[in-house]
Amino acid sequence: MENIDWANLGFGYRDSDFNIRCYYKNGEWGELEVSSSNKIEIHMSATAIHYGQEAFEGLKAFKGQDGKIRIFRMDENARRMQDSSEGTLMAKMPVEKFMEAVRMAVKLNEKFVPPYESGAALYIRPVLFGTSPQIGVKPADEYMFIVFVMPVGPYFKGGFQTTPFVIMREFDRSAPLGMGKYKVGGNYAASLVADKKAHELGYSNIFYLDAKEKKYIDECGAANFFGVKNNTYITPKSSSILPSITNKSLMVLAEEMGMKVERRQVPVEELSTFEETGACGTAAVISPISRIDDYDENKSYVFSKDGKPGPVSEKLYHKLRAIQYGDEPDTHGWVEVLD
Ligand SMILES: *Cc1c(COP(=O)(O)O)cnc(C)c1O
């Protein structure tokens, strides 16, 4: 096998040796199948292609100091994919079958799991979509589920660091009663223009307000938001936010560290009162925010002047990573150690 420069890997597609596939036909799921091809053949009128009948997941496996591979909270991803299936009228992949497919994909590609020292991880991408032809808008009769994996580099190459975000009211991520709470590809297609503009202006991400009133904080890029003040971890509650498993985990850890945790509407002006803010998700765990510029109102909320994250973000980040890599005991049953 080629020599992989683990520590300098980015977040880009890369082939591994095998992927796991499963087909839904005649009202039931078939057996899990192993494939060594990175291609699929589906009907040109598949519902996934025309009407976006698709959902995906993202999770990671980590190699510990003991050489063992750990998968983080995959039961949560399995259940979230079922929720996404409800939101798109797709066949639901059973939780146990989803987890078995993930285990198989990781084990068969064991040599792609980066070594402990690199700080890199194996990214796992389950995807589910409608494959049978429709031209009228209707759900498919047949579905395909795939799990593929690839090694991805450490998110922070130069150490744990802050970046600037921007509020732009000309873009919405999702409507209050829309699809924002599901992990579906359409939400990502809808975010590309906003993302491009934010990047061109020198920001790492766009910061979304609620679409209806533009009063409350919703999500930042494809990550959940949290703010810290007075020993309290505060994260928005909204019907258009994707329930992040990282955020859910951080809330538990914050509470165990003796902090108060609040999940509630967060008015945008409250940003001026936070000591620390961050975006959270599987990719980075926490991406701490240096400042949030309000593009429309010519205003700036500053959280870090020297690029360094605050102490709470720092502590939460290292705590969660330590659990994922097996450096600290998994007291919550979040980690499955592969045998
Ligand atoms: C995947 C995703 C997140 C992060 O969820 P995790 O389970 O923590 O990875 C947050 N927001 C959106 C829109 C997402 O798609």
Side-chain angles (χ1 to χ4, degrees):
M1 172 169 141
E2 67 200 290
N3 265 333
I4 298 180
D5 181 8
W6 305 105
N8 290 308
L9 280 176
F11 190 81
Y13 177 81
R14 217 171 217 282
D15 275 330
S16 59
D17 287 344
F18 302 103
N19 56 82
I20 308 303
R21 302 175 176 202
C22 194
Y23 301 89
Y24 182 90
K25 254 188 215 131
N26 304 319
E28 59 183 13
W29 285 102
E31 295 300 310
L32 299 176
E33 298 172 16
V34 178
S35 169
S36 56
S37 168
N38 57 15
K39 300 275 197 317
I40 56 172
E41 187 166 274
I42 59 172
H43 197 285
M44 64 184 172
S45 195
T47 60
I49 299 172
H50 297 264
Y51 303 127
Q53 208 191 11
E54 184 270 359
F56 69 97
E57 275 302 326
L59 64 160
K60 282 178 173 174
F62 307 86
K63 192 171 275 175
Q65 238 162 341
D66 54 8
K68 291 194 178 134
I69 299 170
R70 291 167 170 79
I71 308 177
F72 188 70
R73 303 197 83 172
M74 65 170 155
D75 54 321
E76 291 284 342
N77 295 92
R79 277 192 284 274
R80 193 167 65 187
M81 182 167 257
Q82 290 199 332
D83 290 343
S84 297
S85 298
E86 273 176 23
T88 50
L89 290 185
M90 291 196 287
K92 277 192 203 170
M93 172 53 68
V95 170
E96 200 36 64
K97 199 159 199 156
F98 176 105
M99 296 201 293
E100 191 49 31
V102 169
R103 284 184 203 110
M104 280 171 75
V106 175
K107 271 188 207 165
L108 288 169
N109 294 293
E110 206 175 330
K111 66 181 186 199
F112 294 96
V113 185
Y116 172 80
E117 297 73 29
S118 64
L122 188 75
Y123 184 71
I124 305 162
R125 169 54 60 88
V127 60
L128 169 66
F129 48 92
T131 51
S132 53
Q134 294 290 357
I135 201 67
V137 181
K138 271 195 288 265
D141 301 319
E142 298 180 358
Y143 294 87
M144 185 174 186
F145 171 75
I146 309 177
V147 179
F148 59 90
V149 304
M150 73 204 73
V152 295
Y155 190 88
F156 298 100
K157 298 272 186 299
F160 191 44
Q161 260 175 1
T162 62
T163 57
F165 285 55
V166 63
I167 297 168
M168 288 187 286
R169 286 172 186 71
E170 67 188 287
F171 300 108
D172 287 326
R173 194 187 82 87
S174 100
L177 303 176
M179 298 295 283
K181 59 180 181 287
Y182 304 121
K183 206 166 181 78
V184 295
N187 290 340
Y188 281 72
S191 74
L192 294 174
V193 172
D195 226 46
K196 179 164 177 258
K197 181 157 181 190
H199 287 141
E200 281 169 359
L201 292 168
Y203 297 98
S204 72
N205 256 309
I206 181 163
F207 202 91
Y208 293 104
L209 303 183
D210 81 276
K212 192 173 173 189
E213 297 187 85
K214 302 278 187 187
K215 262 170 80 175
Y216 303 102
I217 297 170
D218 215 57
E219 284 205 75
C220 21
N224 278 187
F225 170 81
F226 71 88
V228 172
K229 63 175 172 188
N230 309 326
N231 199 35
T232 308
Y233 179 103
I234 299 158
T235 193
K237 184 172 181 169
S238 141
S239 58
S240 49
I241 289 179
L242 192 281
S244 153
I245 298 162
T246 311
N247 196 11
K248 192 173 172 179
S249 310
L250 292 173
M251 284 188 253
V252 171
L253 298 179
E255 210 157 63
E256 286 175 358
M257 285 155 103
M259 297 179 74
K260 255 181 71 187
V261 172
E262 291 175 8
R263 216 176 129 247
R264 57 166 169 82
Q265 286 190 315
V266 183
V268 62
E269 311 80 48
E270 194 176 343
L271 283 175
S272 64
T273 67
F274 288 123
E275 297 150 15
E276 297 176 35
T277 56
C280 59
T282 294
V285 175
I286 290 174
S287 182
I289 302 172
S290 55
R291 66 169 208 280
I292 300 166
D293 289 347
D294 191 324
Y295 188 74
D296 313 295
E297 302 201 339
N298 242 317
K299 214 157 127 185
S300 207
Y301 304 94
V302 179
F303 306 102
S304 169
K305 291 203 175 74
D306 57 5
K308 291 210 182 70
V312 174
S313 304
E314 189 83 51
K315 210 168 146 187
L316 284 169
Y317 172 77
H318 290 293
K319 181 85 186 171
L320 188 55
R321 298 246 314 164
I323 296 170
Q324 291 175 328
Y325 282 92
D327 293 335
E328 285 199 29
D330 169 31
T331 57
H332 310 91
W334 286 347
V335 168
E336 178 170 318
V337 182
L338 285 187
D339 39 45

XYZ file of all heavy atoms in Angstrom, residues 56-58 77 80 173 180 182-183 187-188 219 221-224 242-247 280-283, ligand 1:
211
model
N -27.603 11.352 4.390
C -26.278 10.794 4.670
C -25.922 10.983 6.128
O -26.639 11.637 6.886
C -25.219 11.424 3.745
C -24.936 12.876 4.028
C -23.852 13.234 4.811
C -25.745 13.876 3.513
C -23.577 14.572 5.075
C -25.470 15.218 3.771
C -24.392 15.562 4.555
N -24.821 10.374 6.514
C -24.318 10.519 7.880
C -22.811 10.717 7.828
O -22.172 10.467 6.804
C -24.663 9.271 8.714
C -26.057 9.324 9.332
C -26.241 10.534 10.234
O -25.268 10.951 10.895
O -27.358 11.080 10.268
N -22.244 11.147 8.915
C -20.794 11.307 9.003
C -20.360 10.994 10.419
O -20.912 11.529 11.378
N -25.935 7.964 15.067
C -25.983 8.228 13.621
C -27.033 7.353 12.951
O -27.736 7.796 12.042
C -24.614 7.968 12.977
C -23.565 8.931 13.474
O -22.864 8.646 14.441
N -23.448 10.091 12.860
N -30.363 8.830 13.670
C -30.577 10.087 12.949
C -30.860 9.817 11.479
O -31.661 10.505 10.853
C -29.349 10.988 13.118
C -29.598 12.410 12.667
C -28.507 13.345 13.129
N -27.225 13.029 12.506
C -26.073 13.618 12.838
N -26.047 14.545 13.789
N -24.963 13.296 12.238
N -30.640 29.117 5.775
C -30.244 27.719 5.634
C -31.467 26.841 5.450
O -31.523 25.995 4.584
C -29.446 27.241 6.859
C -28.720 25.926 6.628
C -28.083 25.398 7.883
N -29.027 24.688 8.698
C -29.305 23.399 8.576
N -28.701 22.678 7.668
N -30.187 22.825 9.355
N -34.340 21.455 7.684
C -33.095 21.714 8.400
C -32.742 20.690 9.459
O -31.583 20.477 9.773
N -33.070 17.548 9.250
C -32.647 16.273 8.652
C -31.302 16.433 7.963
O -30.991 17.496 7.431
C -33.681 15.794 7.622
C -35.071 15.655 8.176
C -36.134 16.370 7.626
C -35.332 14.811 9.258
C -37.424 16.253 8.137
C -36.614 14.688 9.769
C -37.655 15.416 9.208
O -38.922 15.295 9.706
N -30.530 15.343 7.953
C -29.219 15.396 7.300
C -29.389 14.945 5.858
O -29.119 13.788 5.517
C -28.215 14.515 8.055
C -26.777 14.986 7.867
C -25.853 14.338 8.875
C -24.431 14.800 8.716
N -24.182 16.133 9.284
N -29.980 20.238 1.666
C -29.584 21.346 2.539
C -28.189 21.846 2.181
O -27.883 23.028 2.338
C -29.570 20.909 4.010
C -30.967 20.663 4.549
O -31.950 21.148 3.986
N -31.057 19.918 5.636
N -27.362 20.923 1.738
C -25.981 21.288 1.396
C -25.912 21.989 0.048
O -25.177 22.969 -0.115
C -25.096 20.041 1.438
C -24.725 19.688 2.865
C -25.657 19.156 3.746
C -23.461 19.967 3.349
C -25.339 18.882 5.065
C -23.116 19.695 4.659
C -24.069 19.148 5.506
O -23.737 18.897 6.808
N -27.766 27.997 12.998
C -26.552 27.174 12.920
C -25.412 27.988 12.333
O -25.622 29.049 11.747
C -26.791 25.943 12.034
C -27.599 24.877 12.717
C -27.328 23.494 12.150
O -26.277 22.913 12.444
O -28.188 22.997 11.405
N -22.595 27.510 9.511
C -22.182 26.591 8.463
C -22.948 25.297 8.666
O -24.139 25.317 8.965
N -22.286 24.170 8.517
C -22.928 22.878 8.782
C -22.501 22.393 10.154
O -22.029 21.274 10.331
C -22.580 21.875 7.708
N -22.656 23.258 11.137
C -22.285 22.902 12.511
C -23.251 23.575 13.475
O -23.875 24.582 13.138
C -20.853 23.345 12.797
N -23.366 23.038 14.662
C -24.193 23.657 15.709
C -23.395 24.761 16.390
O -22.169 24.767 16.378
C -24.600 22.617 16.768
C -25.797 21.764 16.365
O -26.313 20.980 17.165
N -26.264 21.881 15.124
N -30.026 20.939 12.754
C -29.715 19.509 12.698
C -29.165 19.105 14.072
O -28.201 19.697 14.543
C -28.662 19.288 11.597
C -28.298 17.901 11.082
C -27.353 17.157 12.014
C -29.506 17.046 10.784
N -29.778 18.133 14.719
C -29.295 17.749 16.066
C -27.909 17.088 16.008
O -27.787 15.921 15.658
C -30.353 16.777 16.588
C -31.313 16.547 15.487
C -30.945 17.365 14.297
N -26.898 17.874 16.343
C -25.505 17.403 16.286
C -25.202 16.450 17.436
O -25.498 16.730 18.599
C -24.572 18.613 16.353
O -23.318 18.264 16.903
N -24.584 15.336 17.101
C -24.201 14.350 18.118
C -23.016 14.887 18.930
O -22.890 14.619 20.125
C -23.881 13.000 17.441
C -25.147 12.479 16.734
C -23.379 11.966 18.447
C -24.895 11.418 15.682
N -22.173 15.673 18.287
C -21.061 16.312 18.999
C -21.604 17.274 20.054
O -21.166 17.259 21.211
C -20.173 17.097 18.003
O -19.885 16.251 16.898
C -18.891 17.573 18.660
N -22.572 18.099 19.654
C -23.168 19.059 20.590
C -23.818 18.338 21.770
O -23.629 18.706 22.927
C -24.207 19.907 19.841
C -24.605 21.160 20.594
O -23.975 21.539 21.589
N -25.652 21.815 20.132
N -19.737 23.362 16.478
C -19.348 21.993 16.802
C -19.949 20.970 15.857
O -21.055 21.133 15.355
C -19.684 21.674 18.257
S -21.414 21.844 18.679
N -19.174 19.934 15.588
C -19.589 18.866 14.688
C -18.480 17.820 14.600
O -17.390 18.034 15.138
N -18.776 16.718 13.935
C -17.823 15.610 13.844
C -16.472 16.012 13.243
O -15.429 15.552 13.688
C -18.440 14.474 12.997
O -19.556 13.962 13.721
C -17.459 13.346 12.731
N -16.495 16.872 12.224
C -15.262 17.219 11.509
C -14.194 17.773 12.445
O -13.053 17.328 12.430
C -15.561 18.208 10.396
C -23.743 16.885 10.330
C -24.201 18.241 10.715
C -23.882 18.810 11.979
C -22.974 18.140 12.969
O -23.481 16.967 13.491
P -22.504 15.926 14.216
O -23.370 14.779 14.510
O -21.990 16.589 15.441
O -21.413 15.640 13.250
C -24.408 20.047 12.282
N -25.181 20.729 11.408
C -25.488 20.231 10.191
C -26.335 21.021 9.275
C -25.005 18.977 9.811
O -25.307 18.500 8.607
